[in-house]
Amino acid sequence: MYFEQNRLALDIDGNGKVDALTDGLLIIRYLSGLRGTSLIQDAIAPDASRKTAELIETYLGTLTP
């Protein structure tokens, strides 16, 4: 239930879809301490609205305590 209620918040790259190969990978990399190019390399959907490491890091920072 919690997941379904918060599903859209997990659209990390902002393309309107929650995808394990983009959003999930970004979350795992972020939680593993990767930042900058290492965070986003080959993990951003082509139609993403958040395409830079700075935008992704800022967004993920709002989701973590």
Side-chain angles (χ1 to χ4, degrees):
M1 183 150 207
Y2 177 84
F3 177 75
E4 286 304 318
Q5 291 174 342
N6 296 287
R7 184 177 182 84
L8 292 180
L10 298 175
D11 176 17
I12 308 303
D13 61 6
N15 70 337
K17 302 173 214 150
V18 178
D19 186 338
L21 295 177
T22 56
D23 306 305
L25 186 55
L26 290 166
I27 292 168
I28 290 169
R29 288 179 179 181
Y30 184 81
L31 293 174
S32 297
L34 296 175
R35 301 293 185 268
T37 303
S38 298
L39 174 65
I40 65 167
Q41 187 171 6
D42 299 324
I44 304 291
D47 57 346
S49 63
R50 287 186 281 273
K51 294 184 179 201
T52 67
E54 182 179 358
L55 290 172
I56 296 292
E57 289 173 29
T58 299
Y59 182 73
L60 283 166
T62 68
L63 299 177
T64 55

